[in-house]
Amino acid sequence: MGLLKTFIKLFVIFNIFAASLIAEETDKRHILYLMHSNEIEKALNQYQKAWEKEPLDLEILQKMSLILLKNGANSSDIETQKLSMFGAGLSASNISLEILEIGLKSSDLETQLLSLHFISLLNDNKTDLLLTKAMRSDFLPTRLEAAYHMAQRKHPHAIGQIESLMMKLPILDRKSTRLNSS
């Protein structure tokens, strides 16, 4: 009879523990759902309430940050895009490469250059691919910066990309490039 009582007590404790884990997991999913639904204020309040009950792991906070940065990168506001590139770049994480890639597709030159700068600081197989994508930019400074980073990394396609870019640029007359010597 004593063994049965011990088993029942363990079973009840296990169920309570399992229920609390399920509730915590549900809280995490709900917080991420709110972030994806662009209800940032509600998500932050929910996170704060969950944190007060029991400290959560930092993985949820990282996911919330990435969602926020991705929303900012996709924003139509140029300043918000730039801030998102700074946030993604300063995280110095390969996880933020997706956000930096969005910055390369921006219609703003400064956003592209910010994104390219932070991409060049990361070492990942995808960075070489993104540098190659940057060579398709509509802006010459972005292409030149990408070519520089490709050459610096000794990328196998760097020479071909640089030669291709040289052929697309107009030839300058020597007389027009001289400084006035008067």
Side-chain angles (χ1 to χ4, degrees):
M1 191 72 161
L3 185 61
L4 182 61
K5 284 184 181 180
T6 306
F7 177 74
I8 291 173
K9 285 180 185 177
L10 286 174
F11 182 73
V12 169
I13 292 171
F14 176 75
N15 281 338
I16 292 170
F17 179 71
S20 69
L21 285 178
I22 290 170
E24 184 181 316
E25 193 62 36
T26 304
D27 284 346
K28 287 180 185 180
R29 286 192 209 135
H30 188 354
I31 292 168
L32 293 176
Y33 168 77
L34 289 172
M35 290 294 293
H36 280 294
S37 300
N38 215 15
E39 296 185 44
I40 309 302
E41 192 84 25
K42 280 185 181 179
L44 292 174
N45 288 335
Q46 190 92 17
Y47 178 81
Q48 191 172 13
K49 287 177 187 174
W51 181 266
E52 288 170 359
K53 290 178 191 173
E54 184 177 329
L56 302 173
D57 56 11
L58 294 179
E59 181 183 347
I60 182 104
L61 194 58
Q62 181 185 32
K63 287 179 180 179
M64 290 171 65
S65 301
L66 287 172
I67 291 168
L68 193 61
L69 288 172
K70 192 171 184 179
N71 288 348
N74 287 319
S75 172
S76 58
D77 181 38
I78 300 299
E79 294 302 314
T80 304
Q81 287 180 8
K82 289 178 190 175
L83 285 172
S84 293
M85 293 309 111
F86 274 117
L90 292 175
S91 74
S93 170
N94 291 345
I95 298 170
S96 63
L97 274 175
E98 183 181 340
I99 296 163
L100 294 170
E101 183 177 5
I102 294 169
L104 277 181
K105 298 173 187 172
S106 174
S107 59
D108 179 58
L109 170 63
E110 289 177 351
T111 305
Q112 284 188 8
L113 290 174
L114 272 171
S115 178
L116 187 58
H117 169 74
F118 288 118
I119 287 170
S120 70
L121 297 177
L122 297 172
N123 288 320
D124 188 81
N125 291 338
K126 193 172 181 182
T127 55
D128 289 340
L129 177 66
L130 293 177
L131 289 175
T132 305
K133 279 186 179 181
M135 291 299 292
R136 294 185 222 134
S137 172
D138 292 337
F139 298 107
L140 180 60
T142 302
R143 288 183 178 196
L144 291 171
E145 188 74 18
Y148 169 75
H149 290 299
M150 288 177 78
Q152 198 174 35
R153 290 174 177 253
K154 297 181 177 148
H155 188 283
H157 298 115
I159 293 173
Q161 290 284 357
I162 293 168
E163 285 180 349
S164 173
L165 185 58
M166 284 177 20
M167 294 301 163
K168 292 177 184 175
L169 295 175
I171 299 174
L172 298 175
D173 184 15
R174 289 182 81 187
K175 293 176 186 175
S176 66
T177 58
R178 287 191 183 170
L179 296 174
N180 291 336
S181 57
S182 12

